[in-house]
Protein backbone atom coordinates (compact mmCIF):
# COMPACT_ATOMS: atom_id res chain seq x y z
CA UNK A 1 0.00 0.00 0.00
CA UNK A 2 1.50 3.35 -0.98
CA UNK A 3 2.45 5.75 1.72
CA UNK A 4 3.48 9.34 1.40
CA UNK A 5 7.23 9.58 1.79
CA UNK A 6 7.62 13.32 1.45
CA UNK A 7 5.44 16.18 0.44
CA UNK A 8 6.50 19.78 0.07
CA UNK A 9 3.91 22.12 -1.35
CA UNK A 10 4.00 25.87 -1.56
CA UNK A 11 2.79 28.12 -4.33
CA UNK A 12 0.15 26.98 -6.78
CA UNK A 13 2.42 25.54 -9.44
CA UNK A 14 0.18 27.18 -12.03
CA UNK A 15 2.12 28.41 -15.09
CA UNK A 16 0.22 31.70 -15.15
CA UNK A 17 0.96 32.30 -11.44
CA UNK A 18 4.59 31.49 -12.07
CA UNK A 19 4.81 33.98 -14.93
CA UNK A 20 3.05 36.64 -12.85
CA UNK A 21 5.31 35.94 -9.89
CA UNK A 22 8.48 36.21 -11.95
CA UNK A 23 7.26 39.34 -13.76
CA UNK A 24 6.29 41.19 -10.59
CA UNK A 25 9.04 40.08 -8.24
CA UNK A 26 11.85 38.82 -10.46
CA UNK A 27 11.90 35.68 -8.30
CA UNK A 28 10.16 32.42 -9.03
CA UNK A 29 7.69 31.08 -6.43
CA UNK A 30 8.61 28.01 -4.45
CA UNK A 31 7.86 24.87 -6.37
CA UNK A 32 5.37 22.19 -5.46
CA UNK A 33 6.31 18.55 -5.31
CA UNK A 34 4.66 15.44 -3.94
CA UNK A 35 6.47 12.12 -3.60
CA UNK A 36 4.65 8.89 -2.76
CA UNK A 37 6.48 5.60 -2.30
CA UNK A 38 5.07 2.10 -2.03
CA UNK A 39 6.60 -1.37 -1.86
CA UNK A 40 6.07 -3.60 -4.91
CA UNK A 41 7.74 -6.93 -4.21
CA UNK A 42 11.53 -6.47 -4.05
CA UNK A 43 11.29 -2.95 -5.46
CA UNK A 44 9.77 0.35 -4.37
CA UNK A 45 7.61 2.37 -6.76
CA UNK A 46 8.14 6.10 -6.29
CA UNK A 47 5.57 8.43 -7.86
CA UNK A 48 6.62 12.05 -8.15
CA UNK A 49 4.30 14.91 -9.14
CA UNK A 50 4.88 18.62 -9.49
CA UNK A 51 7.80 20.84 -10.35
CA UNK A 52 11.35 19.57 -9.84
CA UNK A 53 14.07 22.17 -9.60
CA UNK A 54 16.77 23.53 -7.32
CA UNK A 55 14.16 24.36 -4.68
CA UNK A 56 12.83 20.79 -4.50
CA UNK A 57 15.99 18.76 -5.11
CA UNK A 58 16.63 18.09 -1.42
CA UNK A 59 13.10 16.84 -0.80
CA UNK A 60 13.15 14.62 -3.88
CA UNK A 61 16.69 13.40 -3.17
CA UNK A 62 15.81 12.41 0.42
CA UNK A 63 12.67 10.63 -0.73
CA UNK A 64 14.47 8.67 -3.46
CA UNK A 65 17.37 7.70 -1.16
CA UNK A 66 14.89 6.60 1.50
CA UNK A 67 12.99 4.48 -1.01
CA UNK A 68 16.25 2.98 -2.25
CA UNK A 69 17.21 2.03 1.30
CA UNK A 70 13.81 0.35 1.79
CA UNK A 71 14.10 -1.71 -1.40
CA UNK A 72 15.82 -5.05 -1.94
CA UNK A 73 16.55 -4.60 -5.66
CA UNK A 74 15.98 -0.91 -6.40
CA UNK A 75 13.37 1.69 -7.21
CA UNK A 76 10.99 2.27 -10.09
CA UNK A 77 10.10 5.86 -10.86
CA UNK A 78 6.83 7.27 -12.15
CA UNK A 79 7.56 10.83 -13.23
CA UNK A 80 4.48 11.14 -15.47
CA UNK A 81 3.11 13.84 -13.15
CA UNK A 82 6.20 16.03 -13.34
CA UNK A 83 5.33 19.35 -14.99
CA UNK A 84 8.78 20.91 -14.88
CA UNK A 85 12.33 19.73 -14.27
CA UNK A 86 15.80 21.12 -14.73
CA UNK A 87 19.36 19.89 -14.50
CA UNK A 88 19.20 19.74 -10.69
CA UNK A 89 16.67 16.91 -11.12
CA UNK A 90 19.11 15.07 -13.36
CA UNK A 91 21.83 15.58 -10.76
CA UNK A 92 19.60 14.01 -8.09
CA UNK A 93 18.75 11.06 -10.36
CA UNK A 94 22.40 10.45 -11.21
CA UNK A 95 23.38 10.58 -7.54
CA UNK A 96 20.65 8.12 -6.54
CA UNK A 97 21.63 5.85 -9.45
CA UNK A 98 25.26 5.91 -8.31
CA UNK A 99 24.19 4.93 -4.79
CA UNK A 100 22.00 2.16 -6.20
CA UNK A 101 24.88 0.73 -8.22
CA UNK A 102 27.06 0.65 -5.07
CA UNK A 103 24.32 -1.42 -3.43
CA UNK A 104 23.82 -3.72 -6.50
CA UNK A 105 20.41 -2.15 -7.13
CA UNK A 106 18.83 -0.32 -10.06
CA UNK A 107 16.88 2.88 -10.66
CA UNK A 108 14.34 2.45 -13.46
CA UNK A 109 12.26 5.25 -14.91
CA UNK A 110 8.93 3.57 -15.75
CA UNK A 111 7.18 6.67 -17.05
CA UNK A 112 8.18 10.26 -17.58
CA UNK A 113 6.42 13.43 -18.61
CA UNK A 114 7.63 15.39 -21.64
CA UNK A 115 9.87 17.73 -19.61
CA UNK A 116 11.72 14.86 -17.93
CA UNK A 117 12.04 13.05 -21.25
CA UNK A 118 13.48 16.16 -22.88
CA UNK A 119 16.12 16.63 -20.17
CA UNK A 120 17.13 12.97 -20.39
CA UNK A 121 17.24 13.05 -24.19
CA UNK A 122 19.23 16.30 -24.38
CA UNK A 123 21.80 14.91 -21.96
CA UNK A 124 21.77 11.43 -23.51
CA UNK A 125 21.11 9.85 -20.11
CA UNK A 126 17.75 8.11 -20.67
CA UNK A 127 19.46 4.75 -21.15
CA UNK A 128 20.91 4.97 -17.63
CA UNK A 129 17.40 4.66 -16.21
CA UNK A 130 15.95 1.87 -18.37
CA UNK A 131 15.19 -1.61 -17.13
CA UNK A 132 18.04 -4.06 -17.67
CA UNK A 133 17.60 -6.85 -20.22
CA UNK A 134 18.52 -9.46 -17.62
CA UNK A 135 16.89 -10.66 -14.41
CA UNK A 136 18.56 -8.50 -11.77
CA UNK A 137 17.42 -10.62 -8.83
CA UNK A 138 19.18 -13.71 -10.14
CA UNK A 139 22.39 -11.81 -10.80
CA UNK A 140 22.32 -10.14 -7.37
CA UNK A 141 21.95 -13.55 -5.75
CA UNK A 142 24.92 -14.78 -7.83
CA UNK A 143 27.05 -11.91 -6.58
CA UNK A 144 26.04 -12.89 -3.06
CA UNK A 145 27.39 -16.42 -3.64
CA UNK A 146 24.56 -18.41 -5.25
CA UNK A 147 25.44 -20.26 -8.47
CA UNK A 148 24.36 -18.68 -11.74
CA UNK A 149 21.13 -20.35 -12.96
CA UNK A 150 21.64 -22.65 -15.97
CA UNK A 151 19.40 -20.52 -18.19
CA UNK A 152 21.56 -17.47 -17.53
CA UNK A 153 24.75 -19.49 -18.04
CA UNK A 154 23.50 -20.40 -21.53
CA UNK A 155 22.55 -16.80 -22.33
CA UNK A 156 25.93 -15.58 -21.14
CA UNK A 157 27.78 -18.22 -23.18
CA UNK A 158 25.81 -17.26 -26.29
CA UNK A 159 26.53 -13.55 -25.75
CA UNK A 160 30.25 -14.19 -25.26
CA UNK A 161 30.37 -16.38 -28.39
CA UNK A 162 28.59 -13.66 -30.39
CA UNK A 163 31.06 -11.05 -29.19
CA UNK A 164 33.95 -13.39 -30.09
CA UNK A 165 32.53 -13.86 -33.61
CA UNK A 166 32.25 -10.10 -34.08
CA UNK A 167 35.83 -9.56 -32.95
CA UNK A 168 37.13 -12.22 -35.34
CA UNK A 169 35.17 -10.88 -38.35
CA UNK A 170 37.02 -8.34 -40.54
CA UNK A 171 35.66 -4.81 -40.61
CA UNK A 172 33.59 -3.89 -43.65
CA UNK A 173 34.93 -0.35 -43.61
Amino acid sequence: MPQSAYSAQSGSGDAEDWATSVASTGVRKRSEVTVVAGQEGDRVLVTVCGELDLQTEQVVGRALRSALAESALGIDLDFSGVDFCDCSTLNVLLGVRQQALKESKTVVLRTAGPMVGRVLDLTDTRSLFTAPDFPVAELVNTVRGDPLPERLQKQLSTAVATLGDRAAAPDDV
Side-chain angles (χ1 to χ4, degrees):
M1 174 174 235
Q3 49 186 300
S4 181
Y6 294 92
S7 180
Q9 299 183 352
S10 62
S12 71
D14 181 61
E16 187 174 313
D17 285 347
W18 177 82
T20 303
S21 172
V22 171
S24 63
T25 65
V27 178
R28 187 171 170 214
K29 284 185 177 182
R30 287 205 46 89
S31 303
E32 289 185 13
V33 65
T34 302
V35 182
V36 178
Q39 197 77 31
E40 288 194 358
D42 290 335
R43 301 186 64 78
V44 173
L45 174 63
V46 182
T47 303
V48 180
C49 298
E51 298 178 359
L52 306 181
D53 56 22
L54 194 58
Q55 295 174 344
T56 61
E57 74 174 325
Q58 289 183 352
V59 170
V60 174
R62 275 194 307 270
L64 295 180
R65 286 189 299 278
S66 175
L68 184 64
E70 298 287 325
S71 72
L73 297 177
I75 57 176
D76 294 329
L77 305 175
D78 176 354
F79 276 29
S80 60
V82 173
D83 302 321
F84 175 84
C85 74
D86 61 14
C87 59
S88 64
T89 305
L90 179 60
N91 191 39
V92 168
L93 289 174
L94 292 171
V96 171
R97 179 181 182 270
Q98 186 174 30
Q99 183 63 39
L101 293 174
K102 287 179 186 176
E103 298 174 13
S104 300
K105 298 178 182 181
T106 60
V107 177
V108 175
L109 185 63
R110 281 193 191 175
T111 56
M115 290 292 293
V116 175
R118 181 153 170 77
V119 168
L120 294 175
D121 290 341
L122 288 172
T123 58
D124 199 25
T125 54
R126 185 185 292 264
S127 63
L128 299 176
F129 301 99
T130 57
D133 293 334
F134 52 86
V136 174
E138 292 177 12
L139 291 180
V140 168
N141 290 336
T142 301
V143 170
R144 294 181 179 152
D146 295 346
L148 190 64
E150 187 176 330
R151 176 178 52 78
L152 287 180
Q153 287 177 0
K154 288 179 183 177
Q155 287 177 339
L156 184 58
S157 295
T158 302
V160 168
T162 302
L163 289 174
D165 291 344
R166 287 183 189 164
D171 290 338
D172 293 331
V173 180

